[in-house]
Amino acid sequence: MLKVIRTKNYDDMSRKAANIIAAQVILKSDSVLGLATGSTPVGLYRELIRGYENGDLDFSHVRTVNLDEYQGLPREHDQSYYYFMNENLFKHININLDQTHLPDGTNMDAEGECGRYHELIESMGGIDLQLLGIGNNGHIGFNEPADAFADHTHCIRLTESTIKANARFFASEADVPRYAYTMGIGEIMTAKKILIVASGKAKAPIIREMLNGPVTPQVPASVLRFHKDVVLVADEEALSLV
Ligand code: PGA
């Protein structure tokens, strides 16, 4: 079942989404959280940091697996997702860094790295709560529109629209990595709960597709309608066409 929570604006979205993650951590202190990067979750990570600082949240037993990572970027690169997670969340809370995981972008053996990551997720007993953003083309993680839903972690070539969307973070479009490792739709769908966040007018057309269009790998996020416990927290602008 997909529940939609409509919020006034980005800050309201961030607080409500953070509260859902906070509840998960309070209820199960050793939760496996599936985490996401992108501009949308930054505000909710800020709220989680606040929750830690004021003593409401303890992350010392929390374990995390991130959705994806660019292939070829070292951890120190300021556009690597490792760097993002550290800057926007991990270094501000009492999480044990040994219990945080991302695909290793520097491992150029794609098959080996994807297999390792899949086994890692399984060995953690699966994901309790998976956080997702949504791309303008409906991607979740780096699962781009495709002819079929990918099951496990795999290496993908970014679509031109994603390369363009992400070019704003790099010196030039040519610097955007062309490949990434991403969890598969199958791994995402086996998470016990899913929380997807969206903000702003630019997301309105794809949110409408996700909620009302056909379930198709051409709109990867549409598959979430087949999950039993999904919450979409989105602001009025993102929901303006629904
Ligand atoms: P954004 O990215 O949060 O920066 O819009 C979302 C995504 O591509 O998953």
Side-chain angles (χ1 to χ4, degrees):
M1 201 195 90
L2 194 151
K3 183 178 172 62
V4 179
I5 297 179
R6 184 181 286 262
T7 71
K8 286 195 283 295
N9 51 35
Y10 178 80
D11 289 344
D12 191 22
M13 177 207 76
S14 299
R15 283 193 305 274
K16 289 192 165 71
N19 282 341
I20 292 170
I21 297 176
Q24 174 69 40
V25 170
I26 290 168
L27 287 167
K28 186 179 180 210
S29 61
D30 64 347
S31 286
V32 176
L33 300 180
L35 298 179
T37 56
S39 47
T40 315
V42 171
L44 77 86
Y45 289 149
R46 215 176 289 134
E47 294 296 327
L48 292 177
I49 294 165
R50 204 194 314 263
Y52 164 68
E53 287 171 350
N54 69 22
D56 285 340
L57 294 177
D58 174 10
F59 291 91
S60 59
H61 299 294
V62 167
R63 296 164 292 158
T64 69
V65 277
N66 260 76
L67 282 169
D68 47 15
E69 178 61 282
Y70 288 116
Q71 190 196 47
L73 291 194
R75 289 175 155 201
E76 312 75 52
H77 192 290
D78 67 2
Q79 291 307 322
S80 78
Y81 289 166
Y82 177 90
Y83 188 94
F84 176 101
M85 289 312 303
N86 213 31
E87 289 301 308
N88 287 288
L89 184 63
F90 295 155
K91 78 177 191 189
H92 305 286
I93 59 175
N94 67 333
I95 199 159
N96 177 353
L97 285 178
D98 292 340
Q99 301 285 2
T100 66
H101 305 280
L102 289 92
D104 178 0
T106 63
N107 184 354
M108 302 306 279
D109 167 14
E111 204 176 315
E113 180 54 22
C114 293
R116 180 193 74 83
Y117 207 65
H118 176 70
E119 277 166 29
L120 173 80
I121 297 167
E122 296 234 305
S123 74
M124 295 167 92
I127 297 163
D128 290 304
L129 174 63
Q130 176 66 55
L131 171 65
L132 299 172
I134 181 169
N136 293 330
N137 62 3
H139 73 202
I140 47 179
F142 266 130
N143 291 277
E144 300 280 36
D147 293 335
F149 292 114
D151 193 358
H152 293 171
T153 304
H154 56 291
C155 182
I156 57 97
R157 189 180 159 85
L158 275 56
T159 61
E160 285 308 311
S161 90
T162 300
I163 292 168
K164 283 196 165 47
N166 292 2
R168 67 190 195 275
F169 302 117
F170 290 84
S172 77
E173 201 176 303
D175 292 329
V176 182
R178 266 36 185 179
Y179 292 90
Y181 297 137
T182 182
M183 264 187 217
I185 296 290
E187 287 153 338
I188 293 170
M189 288 294 280
T190 51
K192 295 184 187 77
K193 292 173 194 280
I194 295 178
L195 167 62
I196 177 163
V197 287
S199 169
K201 276 203 295 293
K203 295 285 167 72
I206 196 63
I207 291 293
R208 179 181 54 194
E209 279 297 298
M210 171 190 153
L211 294 177
N212 299 327
V215 171
T216 164
Q218 295 298 338
V219 181
S222 64
V223 76
L224 298 176
R225 283 167 28 214
F226 288 163
H227 191 278
K228 63 182 186 328
D229 191 356
V230 185
V231 183
L232 165 67
V233 182
D235 62 17
E236 276 174 9
E237 287 191 353
L239 289 168
S240 57
L241 296 177
V242 177

